[in-house]
Amino acid sequence: MKALILVAGNSRRMGDITKELHKTLLPVQGRPILDRMLRALKKANINDVIFVGGFRQDQIDTYVRDHFPELEITWVFNPIFGETNTAYSVFLTRDTVLPLKDDILLINGDVVLDSRCILATTEADGDTVLAVRFDRCSEEEVKVRLNEKQVITEIGKHIPPVEAAAGIGRGEQALKRPAPRLV
């Protein structure tokens, strides 16, 4: 299994907080968000990481190489990161990911998570799984919509929080959904 971490975004909404430092390197309880993520991946024995970079990619690359030299790192550059979205960044990896014929764990680089989330996702049954935290959410968060059978039917920031799958339970849960195709 390989991890695909999206870190291309330019953090416009964070203002001056990310003026000098990429948001994935911001500390949370004394450790950068990315540090927590990479430690969780190592705990799950995932040592191959593909990054999609753009904004301040050099900062992230230096941090990873200095603190995690044992990881096998591949970079894919999104030259128009300021104009595109997550789907486009994933699309750019097609020539890197498709020939691998390996399982891919897709992670947004600015998500604070721990090893329990990574382990629950990698150990879940199904061809395609998605880790979801069922809790209150805001407009800015990526949200999911479920049908009456508790199957994910929609994913995105555009879903109003009142229509999102929130408050159903607590903790991370892996949900099956049809495998997407990369065209």
Side-chain angles (χ1 to χ4, degrees), residues 2-3 10 16 18 20-21 34 36-37 56-57 64 66 72 78 113 131 148 152 157 171 177:
K2 297 184 185 338
N10 58 7
D16 287 345
T18 54
E20 301 296 326
L21 190 65
L34 186 60
R36 295 173 174 281
M37 187 177 298
R56 299 203 189 280
Q57 178 177 320
V64 172
D66 288 351
E72 183 69 33
N78 180 349
L113 51 79
E148 63 282 344
I152 295 172
K157 289 184 178 182
R177 68 182 197 96

Side-chain angles (χ1 to χ4, degrees), residues 3 21 102 104 110 122 147 160 164 173 182:
L21 190 65
D102 202 351
I104 300 293
D110 60 352
T122 59
N147 68 12
Q173 297 181 19
L182 215 61

Side-chain angles (χ1 to χ4, degrees), residues 61-77:
D61 186 51
T62 299
Y63 184 86
V64 172
R65 292 189 191 286
D66 288 351
H67 294 88
F68 297 90
E70 69 282 4
L71 294 179
E72 183 69 33
I73 303 297
T74 303
W75 279 97
V76 174
F77 182 66

Side-chain angles (χ1 to χ4, degrees), residues 45-125:
N45 295 314
I46 299 172
N47 296 303
D48 291 340
V49 181
I50 302 162
F51 284 99
V52 179
F55 181 72
R56 299 203 189 280
Q57 178 177 320
D58 57 325
Q59 285 184 349
I60 300 165
D61 186 51
T62 299
Y63 184 86
V64 172
R65 292 189 191 286
D66 288 351
H67 294 88
F68 297 90
E70 69 282 4
L71 294 179
E72 183 69 33
I73 303 297
T74 303
W75 279 97
V76 174
F77 182 66
N78 180 349
I80 52 175
F81 60 86
E83 305 165 29
T84 57
N85 59 18
T86 298
Y88 185 75
S89 285
V90 172
F91 173 74
L92 290 177
T93 69
R94 68 195 180 283
D95 293 336
T96 303
V97 170
L98 292 177
L100 297 176
K101 304 215 183 297
D102 202 351
D103 289 337
I104 300 293
L105 179 63
L106 174 64
I107 307 171
N108 289 325
D110 60 352
V111 175
V112 179
L113 51 79
D114 66 25
S115 59
R116 292 175 298 170
C117 180
I118 301 282
L119 290 171
T121 304
T122 59
E123 294 172 358
D125 292 331

